[in-house]
Amino acid sequence: MSGYRAETHGIVVRVRPTYLSQQSDPAAGRWVWSYEVEIENGRATAIQLLTRHWVITDAGGRVEEVKGAGVVGEQPVIGPSEVHRYTSGCPLGTASGTMVGSYGIVEADGSAMDVEIPAFSLDSQPRGALN
């Protein structure tokens, strides 16, 4: 998967955002993106994703923090060398913004860690497009 990438403690997180023009309504001040996430466990033991923490910033500098259990209603267990994939979405009141965050992970032995989600850009216009 191409896109944005971060690695923490041998766990790789990749994110690929996609602007959803069909679900967006710029005249009403609503822009929508989906983002596909891959979490690859490069550790020697299984891990479980327990929590998520997102910091979402729109083009006007408005910041929203989202914290909660798991991802898309799941708290997946990811074995060594396994990859977990999911897709979610984000609406904004501006035509662009950014997202960054972390996952709360626990290992089979009970030790906990935070894993970085790479900062990624939400753009409604292709890069380099003229307005």
Side-chain angles (χ1 to χ4, degrees), residues 4 27 34 43 61 91 120:
Y4 301 85
S34 70
R43 298 178 67 81
F120 59 96

Side-chain angles (χ1 to χ4, degrees), residues 39-98:
I39 304 162
E40 181 178 352
N41 181 8
R43 298 178 67 81
T45 61
I47 58 172
Q48 184 173 16
L49 189 158
L50 294 180
T51 62
R52 72 187 181 288
H53 176 210
W54 287 106
V55 178
I56 305 162
T57 307
D58 72 14
R62 185 176 153 273
V63 176
E64 178 183 359
E65 288 196 59
V66 177
K67 296 180 180 182
V71 290
V72 294
E74 300 179 341
Q75 292 182 316
V77 174
I78 308 166
S81 301
E82 290 183 352
V83 176
H84 178 76
R85 293 175 181 85
Y86 74 92
T87 301
S88 191
C90 177
L92 285 181
T94 60
S96 63
T98 61

Side-chain angles (χ1 to χ4, degrees), residues 95-116:
S96 63
T98 61
M99 290 179 69
V100 65
S102 62
Y103 294 123
I105 302 282
V106 66
E107 287 193 284
D109 67 3
S111 60
M113 68 184 98
D114 287 331
V115 171
E116 177 186 357

